[in-house]
Amino acid sequence: MSETIFSKIIRREIPADIVYEDDLSLAFNDINPQAPVHLLIIPKKPIATINDIQEDDRELVGHLYWVAAKLAAEMGFADDGYRTVMNCGENSGQTVFHIHLHLLAGQPMGWPPYSDKRKQA
């Protein structure tokens, strides 16, 4: 896997507003938030896309969701609701090829989450 900005954040070569860290993961505020709360939760192990997750990564990926629920509870929005999103590939909007879980909260969210001009059925 090629070097990404997330690898540099993990190594503290690039600053980030880190809100959580453990041996497996790191969570920080997104620099381009799409909601009042927009965190990125990343594994410290580099995995480019969902398609690259291996069988032995199952617990690691589950851990990212556990961190999301933990942060939602600690930050006080678990009961109001929140959204988690993990994009896969360019057509999904993935721009950093190191899997990351978006945790969005703090406002009502519509469905589907289209941001373009396509008709929504």
Side-chain angles (χ1 to χ4, degrees):
M1 191 175 111
S2 62
E3 181 77 4
T4 70
I5 189 171
F6 292 168
S7 300
K8 293 177 181 182
I9 289 171
I10 292 166
R11 291 192 309 264
R12 304 301 200 273
E13 295 171 6
I14 295 176
D17 184 10
I18 297 170
V19 298
Y20 178 84
E21 182 173 14
D22 62 29
D23 291 345
L24 301 174
S25 65
L26 189 71
F28 51 92
N29 285 298
D30 193 301
I31 60 170
N32 185 24
Q34 302 299 305
V37 176
H38 187 170
L39 304 176
L40 299 179
I41 304 167
I42 65 171
K44 289 183 175 178
K45 176 183 178 181
I47 302 169
T49 74
I50 293 171
N51 295 335
D52 299 303
I53 295 170
Q54 300 299 306
E55 185 174 358
D56 62 345
D57 296 321
R58 292 180 301 176
E59 288 185 29
L60 175 60
V61 174
H63 181 76
L64 301 179
Y65 283 91
W66 176 83
V67 169
K70 175 181 174 53
L71 292 173
E74 289 177 358
M75 298 174 87
F77 55 81
D79 291 340
D80 290 337
Y82 54 96
R83 179 171 289 163
T84 58
V85 176
M86 189 179 290
N87 299 318
C88 182
E90 289 181 24
N91 281 344
S92 74
Q94 185 177 6
T95 57
V96 178
F97 288 85
H98 181 134
I99 63 169
H100 51 287
L101 185 65
H102 294 262
L103 172 60
L104 302 121
Q107 68 185 31
M109 296 182 194
W111 192 262
Y114 290 128
S115 62
D116 63 13
K117 296 177 182 166
R118 291 182 290 169
K119 283 191 171 184
Q120 300 176 27

PDB file of all heavy atoms in Angstrom, residues 75-101:
ATOM      1  N   MET A  75     -19.395  11.467  23.979  1.00  0.00           N
ATOM      2  CA  MET A  75     -19.631  12.828  23.505  1.00  0.00           C
ATOM      3  C   MET A  75     -21.098  13.238  23.629  1.00  0.00           C
ATOM      4  O   MET A  75     -21.444  14.371  23.319  1.00  0.00           O
ATOM      5  CB  MET A  75     -19.122  12.968  22.067  1.00  0.00           C
ATOM      6  CG  MET A  75     -17.622  12.741  21.958  1.00  0.00           C
ATOM      7  SD  MET A  75     -17.016  12.741  20.267  1.00  0.00           S
ATOM      8  CE  MET A  75     -16.736  14.498  20.045  1.00  0.00           C
ATOM      9  N   GLY A  76     -21.952  12.304  24.043  1.00  0.00           N
ATOM     10  CA  GLY A  76     -23.328  12.643  24.374  1.00  0.00           C
ATOM     11  C   GLY A  76     -24.331  12.646  23.235  1.00  0.00           C
ATOM     12  O   GLY A  76     -25.411  13.217  23.390  1.00  0.00           O
ATOM     13  N   PHE A  77     -24.030  12.011  22.124  1.00  0.00           N
ATOM     14  CA  PHE A  77     -25.015  11.995  21.038  1.00  0.00           C
ATOM     15  C   PHE A  77     -25.470  10.587  20.655  1.00  0.00           C
ATOM     16  O   PHE A  77     -26.202  10.408  19.684  1.00  0.00           O
ATOM     17  CB  PHE A  77     -24.511  12.750  19.797  1.00  0.00           C
ATOM     18  CG  PHE A  77     -23.185  12.291  19.251  1.00  0.00           C
ATOM     19  CD1 PHE A  77     -23.099  11.176  18.442  1.00  0.00           C
ATOM     20  CD2 PHE A  77     -22.029  12.990  19.547  1.00  0.00           C
ATOM     21  CE1 PHE A  77     -21.884  10.753  17.931  1.00  0.00           C
ATOM     22  CE2 PHE A  77     -20.807  12.581  19.040  1.00  0.00           C
ATOM     23  CZ  PHE A  77     -20.737  11.455  18.235  1.00  0.00           C
ATOM     24  N   ALA A  78     -25.103   9.600  21.443  1.00  0.00           N
ATOM     25  CA  ALA A  78     -25.490   8.220  21.125  1.00  0.00           C
ATOM     26  C   ALA A  78     -27.009   8.064  21.087  1.00  0.00           C
ATOM     27  O   ALA A  78     -27.543   7.432  20.169  1.00  0.00           O
ATOM     28  CB  ALA A  78     -24.880   7.248  22.133  1.00  0.00           C
ATOM     29  N   ASP A  79     -27.715   8.634  22.041  1.00  0.00           N
ATOM     30  CA  ASP A  79     -29.167   8.475  22.096  1.00  0.00           C
ATOM     31  C   ASP A  79     -29.887   9.249  20.993  1.00  0.00           C
ATOM     32  O   ASP A  79     -30.945   8.823  20.533  1.00  0.00           O
ATOM     33  CB  ASP A  79     -29.708   8.892  23.461  1.00  0.00           C
ATOM     34  CG  ASP A  79     -29.299   7.923  24.565  1.00  0.00           C
ATOM     35  OD1 ASP A  79     -28.943   6.765  24.244  1.00  0.00           O
ATOM     36  OD2 ASP A  79     -29.317   8.332  25.737  1.00  0.00           O
ATOM     37  N   ASP A  80     -29.320  10.378  20.567  1.00  0.00           N
ATOM     38  CA  ASP A  80     -29.944  11.175  19.498  1.00  0.00           C
ATOM     39  C   ASP A  80     -29.740  10.533  18.135  1.00  0.00           C
ATOM     40  O   ASP A  80     -30.513  10.773  17.216  1.00  0.00           O
ATOM     41  CB  ASP A  80     -29.365  12.592  19.476  1.00  0.00           C
ATOM     42  CG  ASP A  80     -29.790  13.408  20.668  1.00  0.00           C
ATOM     43  OD1 ASP A  80     -30.833  13.095  21.278  1.00  0.00           O
ATOM     44  OD2 ASP A  80     -29.069  14.367  21.001  1.00  0.00           O
ATOM     45  N   GLY A  81     -28.696   9.760  17.987  1.00  0.00           N
ATOM     46  CA  GLY A  81     -28.409   9.087  16.727  1.00  0.00           C
ATOM     47  C   GLY A  81     -27.217   9.688  16.010  1.00  0.00           C
ATOM     48  O   GLY A  81     -26.867  10.852  16.205  1.00  0.00           O
ATOM     49  N   TYR A  82     -26.624   8.876  15.182  1.00  0.00           N
ATOM     50  CA  TYR A  82     -25.453   9.280  14.409  1.00  0.00           C
ATOM     51  C   TYR A  82     -25.333   8.362  13.209  1.00  0.00           C
ATOM     52  O   TYR A  82     -26.012   7.348  13.115  1.00  0.00           O
ATOM     53  CB  TYR A  82     -24.179   9.237  15.263  1.00  0.00           C
ATOM     54  CG  TYR A  82     -23.909   7.918  15.947  1.00  0.00           C
ATOM     55  CD1 TYR A  82     -23.060   6.981  15.370  1.00  0.00           C
ATOM     56  CD2 TYR A  82     -24.493   7.611  17.173  1.00  0.00           C
ATOM     57  CE1 TYR A  82     -22.804   5.769  15.992  1.00  0.00           C
ATOM     58  CE2 TYR A  82     -24.235   6.405  17.813  1.00  0.00           C
ATOM     59  CZ  TYR A  82     -23.392   5.482  17.218  1.00  0.00           C
ATOM     60  OH  TYR A  82     -23.140   4.296  17.840  1.00  0.00           O
ATOM     61  N   ARG A  83     -24.492   8.736  12.302  1.00  0.00           N
ATOM     62  CA  ARG A  83     -24.280   7.945  11.088  1.00  0.00           C
ATOM     63  C   ARG A  83     -22.817   7.532  11.020  1.00  0.00           C
ATOM     64  O   ARG A  83     -21.926   8.322  11.325  1.00  0.00           O
ATOM     65  CB  ARG A  83     -24.644   8.760   9.855  1.00  0.00           C
ATOM     66  CG  ARG A  83     -24.431   8.006   8.538  1.00  0.00           C
ATOM     67  CD  ARG A  83     -24.998   8.753   7.358  1.00  0.00           C
ATOM     68  NE  ARG A  83     -26.457   8.690   7.451  1.00  0.00           N
ATOM     69  CZ  ARG A  83     -27.283   9.494   6.770  1.00  0.00           C
ATOM     70  NH1 ARG A  83     -26.799  10.418   5.955  1.00  0.00           N
ATOM     71  NH2 ARG A  83     -28.579   9.372   6.906  1.00  0.00           N
ATOM     72  N   THR A  84     -22.591   6.295  10.589  1.00  0.00           N
ATOM     73  CA  THR A  84     -21.245   5.834  10.281  1.00  0.00           C
ATOM     74  C   THR A  84     -21.214   5.467   8.804  1.00  0.00           C
ATOM     75  O   THR A  84     -22.167   4.890   8.283  1.00  0.00           O
ATOM     76  CB  THR A  84     -20.840   4.612  11.135  1.00  0.00           C
ATOM     77  OG1 THR A  84     -21.776   3.565  10.929  1.00  0.00           O
ATOM     78  CG2 THR A  84     -20.753   4.976  12.605  1.00  0.00           C
ATOM     79  N   VAL A  85     -20.129   5.833   8.149  1.00  0.00           N
ATOM     80  CA  VAL A  85     -19.979   5.575   6.711  1.00  0.00           C
ATOM     81  C   VAL A  85     -18.539   5.153   6.453  1.00  0.00           C
ATOM     82  O   VAL A  85     -17.607   5.785   6.955  1.00  0.00           O
ATOM     83  CB  VAL A  85     -20.283   6.847   5.873  1.00  0.00           C
ATOM     84  CG1 VAL A  85     -20.037   6.597   4.394  1.00  0.00           C
ATOM     85  CG2 VAL A  85     -21.674   7.366   6.130  1.00  0.00           C
ATOM     86  N   MET A  86     -18.388   4.109   5.643  1.00  0.00           N
ATOM     87  CA  MET A  86     -17.070   3.726   5.172  1.00  0.00           C
ATOM     88  C   MET A  86     -17.171   3.578   3.657  1.00  0.00           C
ATOM     89  O   MET A  86     -17.877   2.700   3.160  1.00  0.00           O
ATOM     90  CB  MET A  86     -16.591   2.424   5.819  1.00  0.00           C
ATOM     91  CG  MET A  86     -15.140   2.124   5.498  1.00  0.00           C
ATOM     92  SD  MET A  86     -14.491   0.613   6.259  1.00  0.00           S
ATOM     93  CE  MET A  86     -14.422   1.061   7.984  1.00  0.00           C
ATOM     94  N   ASN A  87     -16.515   4.446   2.932  1.00  0.00           N
ATOM     95  CA  ASN A  87     -16.544   4.427   1.476  1.00  0.00           C
ATOM     96  C   ASN A  87     -15.521   3.433   0.933  1.00  0.00           C
ATOM     97  O   ASN A  87     -14.509   3.167   1.571  1.00  0.00           O
ATOM     98  CB  ASN A  87     -16.239   5.824   0.923  1.00  0.00           C
ATOM     99  CG  ASN A  87     -17.258   6.849   1.376  1.00  0.00           C
ATOM    100  OD1 ASN A  87     -18.446   6.579   1.396  1.00  0.00           O
ATOM    101  ND2 ASN A  87     -16.789   8.017   1.773  1.00  0.00           N
ATOM    102  N   CYS A  88     -15.780   2.934  -0.274  1.00  0.00           N
ATOM    103  CA  CYS A  88     -14.865   1.983  -0.905  1.00  0.00           C
ATOM    104  C   CYS A  88     -14.679   2.352  -2.372  1.00  0.00           C
ATOM    105  O   CYS A  88     -15.588   2.172  -3.187  1.00  0.00           O
ATOM    106  CB  CYS A  88     -15.397   0.557  -0.770  1.00  0.00           C
ATOM    107  SG  CYS A  88     -14.283  -0.674  -1.481  1.00  0.00           S
ATOM    108  N   GLY A  89     -13.519   2.875  -2.690  1.00  0.00           N
ATOM    109  CA  GLY A  89     -13.184   3.190  -4.080  1.00  0.00           C
ATOM    110  C   GLY A  89     -13.549   4.602  -4.492  1.00  0.00           C
ATOM    111  O   GLY A  89     -14.276   5.314  -3.802  1.00  0.00           O
ATOM    112  N   GLU A  90     -13.021   4.985  -5.629  1.00  0.00           N
ATOM    113  CA  GLU A  90     -13.188   6.354  -6.126  1.00  0.00           C
ATOM    114  C   GLU A  90     -14.642   6.735  -6.356  1.00  0.00           C
ATOM    115  O   GLU A  90     -15.053   7.855  -6.030  1.00  0.00           O
ATOM    116  CB  GLU A  90     -12.382   6.552  -7.408  1.00  0.00           C
ATOM    117  CG  GLU A  90     -10.892   6.575  -7.166  1.00  0.00           C
ATOM    118  CD  GLU A  90     -10.093   6.797  -8.438  1.00  0.00           C
ATOM    119  OE1 GLU A  90     -10.627   7.360  -9.406  1.00  0.00           O
ATOM    120  OE2 GLU A  90      -8.920   6.392  -8.444  1.00  0.00           O
ATOM    121  N   ASN A  91     -15.453   5.835  -6.932  1.00  0.00           N
ATOM    122  CA  ASN A  91     -16.848   6.183  -7.216  1.00  0.00           C
ATOM    123  C   ASN A  91     -17.683   6.375  -5.961  1.00  0.00           C
ATOM    124  O   ASN A  91     -18.767   6.948  -6.024  1.00  0.00           O
ATOM    125  CB  ASN A  91     -17.503   5.135  -8.123  1.00  0.00           C
ATOM    126  CG  ASN A  91     -17.105   5.309  -9.568  1.00  0.00           C
ATOM    127  OD1 ASN A  91     -16.593   6.350  -9.967  1.00  0.00           O
ATOM    128  ND2 ASN A  91     -17.327   4.282 -10.362  1.00  0.00           N
ATOM    129  N   SER A  92     -17.200   5.922  -4.827  1.00  0.00           N
ATOM    130  CA  SER A  92     -17.923   6.112  -3.569  1.00  0.00           C
ATOM    131  C   SER A  92     -17.541   7.420  -2.900  1.00  0.00           C
ATOM    132  O   SER A  92     -18.166   7.816  -1.928  1.00  0.00           O
ATOM    133  CB  SER A  92     -17.621   4.967  -2.605  1.00  0.00           C
ATOM    134  OG  SER A  92     -16.310   5.119  -2.070  1.00  0.00           O
ATOM    135  N   GLY A  93     -16.472   8.033  -3.376  1.00  0.00           N
ATOM    136  CA  GLY A  93     -15.980   9.251  -2.752  1.00  0.00           C
ATOM    137  C   GLY A  93     -14.751   9.030  -1.893  1.00  0.00           C
ATOM    138  O   GLY A  93     -14.294   9.956  -1.227  1.00  0.00           O
ATOM    139  N   GLN A  94     -14.201   7.809  -1.894  1.00  0.00           N
ATOM    140  CA  GLN A  94     -12.988   7.573  -1.111  1.00  0.00           C
ATOM    141  C   GLN A  94     -11.835   8.326  -1.751  1.00  0.00           C
ATOM    142  O   GLN A  94     -11.531   8.145  -2.924  1.00  0.00           O
ATOM    143  CB  GLN A  94     -12.666   6.076  -1.034  1.00  0.00           C
ATOM    144  CG  GLN A  94     -11.484   5.774  -0.138  1.00  0.00           C
ATOM    145  CD  GLN A  94     -11.191   4.287   0.005  1.00  0.00           C
ATOM    146  OE1 GLN A  94     -11.797   3.443  -0.644  1.00  0.00           O
ATOM    147  NE2 GLN A  94     -10.232   3.972   0.864  1.00  0.00           N
ATOM    148  N   THR A  95     -11.203   9.192  -0.968  1.00  0.00           N
ATOM    149  CA  THR A  95     -10.081   9.984  -1.486  1.00  0.00           C
ATOM    150  C   THR A  95      -8.765   9.617  -0.818  1.00  0.00           C
ATOM    151  O   THR A  95      -7.700   9.900  -1.369  1.00  0.00           O
ATOM    152  CB  THR A  95     -10.335  11.499  -1.309  1.00  0.00           C
ATOM    153  OG1 THR A  95     -10.563  11.773   0.068  1.00  0.00           O
ATOM    154  CG2 THR A  95     -11.536  11.949  -2.139  1.00  0.00           C
ATOM    155  N   VAL A  96      -8.826   9.020   0.365  1.00  0.00           N
ATOM    156  CA  VAL A  96      -7.624   8.537   1.033  1.00  0.00           C
ATOM    157  C   VAL A  96      -7.734   7.020   1.074  1.00  0.00           C
ATOM    158  O   VAL A  96      -8.695   6.476   1.632  1.00  0.00           O
ATOM    159  CB  VAL A  96      -7.481   9.109   2.458  1.00  0.00           C
ATOM    160  CG1 VAL A  96      -6.241   8.549   3.138  1.00  0.00           C
ATOM    161  CG2 VAL A  96      -7.432  10.637   2.429  1.00  0.00           C
ATOM    162  N   PHE A  97      -6.763   6.344   0.495  1.00  0.00           N
ATOM    163  CA  PHE A  97      -6.835   4.900   0.379  1.00  0.00           C
ATOM    164  C   PHE A  97      -6.153   4.215   1.568  1.00  0.00           C
ATOM    165  O   PHE A  97      -5.119   3.569   1.467  1.00  0.00           O
ATOM    166  CB  PHE A  97      -6.321   4.445  -0.986  1.00  0.00           C
ATOM    167  CG  PHE A  97      -7.330   4.806  -2.047  1.00  0.00           C
ATOM    168  CD1 PHE A  97      -7.334   6.061  -2.625  1.00  0.00           C
ATOM    169  CD2 PHE A  97      -8.336   3.916  -2.371  1.00  0.00           C
ATOM    170  CE1 PHE A  97      -8.304   6.416  -3.547  1.00  0.00           C
ATOM    171  CE2 PHE A  97      -9.311   4.260  -3.299  1.00  0.00           C
ATOM    172  CZ  PHE A  97      -9.292   5.521  -3.881  1.00  0.00           C
ATOM    173  N   HIS A  98      -6.804   4.427   2.698  1.00  0.00           N
ATOM    174  CA  HIS A  98      -6.527   3.813   4.003  1.00  0.00           C
ATOM    175  C   HIS A  98      -7.908   3.791   4.636  1.00  0.00           C
ATOM    176  O   HIS A  98      -8.498   4.864   4.845  1.00  0.00           O
ATOM    177  CB  HIS A  98      -5.564   4.702   4.785  1.00  0.00           C
ATOM    178  CG  HIS A  98      -5.181   4.179   6.141  1.00  0.00           C
ATOM    179  ND1 HIS A  98      -3.877   4.170   6.550  1.00  0.00           N
ATOM    180  CD2 HIS A  98      -5.903   3.686   7.176  1.00  0.00           C
ATOM    181  CE1 HIS A  98      -3.814   3.690   7.788  1.00  0.00           C
ATOM    182  NE2 HIS A  98      -5.038   3.394   8.188  1.00  0.00           N
ATOM    183  N   ILE A  99      -8.482   2.608   4.860  1.00  0.00           N
ATOM    184  CA  ILE A  99      -9.879   2.572   5.310  1.00  0.00           C
ATOM    185  C   ILE A  99     -10.085   3.499   6.502  1.00  0.00           C
ATOM    186  O   ILE A  99      -9.202   3.665   7.343  1.00  0.00           O
ATOM    187  CB  ILE A  99     -10.385   1.148   5.630  1.00  0.00           C
ATOM    188  CG1 ILE A  99      -9.613   0.515   6.781  1.00  0.00           C
ATOM    189  CG2 ILE A  99     -10.404   0.283   4.387  1.00  0.00           C
ATOM    190  CD1 ILE A  99     -10.246  -0.773   7.310  1.00  0.00           C
ATOM    191  N   HIS A 100     -11.251   4.115   6.521  1.00  0.00           N
ATOM    192  CA  HIS A 100     -11.600   5.010   7.612  1.00  0.00           C
ATOM    193  C   HIS A 100     -13.108   5.059   7.754  1.00  0.00           C
ATOM    194  O   HIS A 100     -13.837   5.042   6.775  1.00  0.00           O
ATOM    195  CB  HIS A 100     -11.012   6.403   7.410  1.00  0.00           C
ATOM    196  CG  HIS A 100     -11.275   7.024   6.077  1.00  0.00           C
ATOM    197  ND1 HIS A 100     -10.649   6.611   4.912  1.00  0.00           N
ATOM    198  CD2 HIS A 100     -12.094   8.036   5.721  1.00  0.00           C
ATOM    199  CE1 HIS A 100     -11.069   7.352   3.898  1.00  0.00           C
ATOM    200  NE2 HIS A 100     -11.963   8.214   4.365  1.00  0.00           N
ATOM    201  N   LEU A 101     -13.528   5.099   8.989  1.00  0.00           N
ATOM    202  CA  LEU A 101     -14.936   5.151   9.322  1.00  0.00           C
ATOM    203  C   LEU A 101     -15.293   6.593   9.653  1.00  0.00           C
ATOM    204  O   LEU A 101     -14.705   7.187  10.552  1.00  0.00           O
ATOM    205  CB  LEU A 101     -15.207   4.238  10.522  1.00  0.00           C
ATOM    206  CG  LEU A 101     -16.653   4.066  10.951  1.00  0.00           C
ATOM    207  CD1 LEU A 101     -17.459   3.363   9.859  1.00  0.00           C
ATOM    208  CD2 LEU A 101     -16.710   3.258  12.244  1.00  0.00           C
TER     209      LEU A 101
END
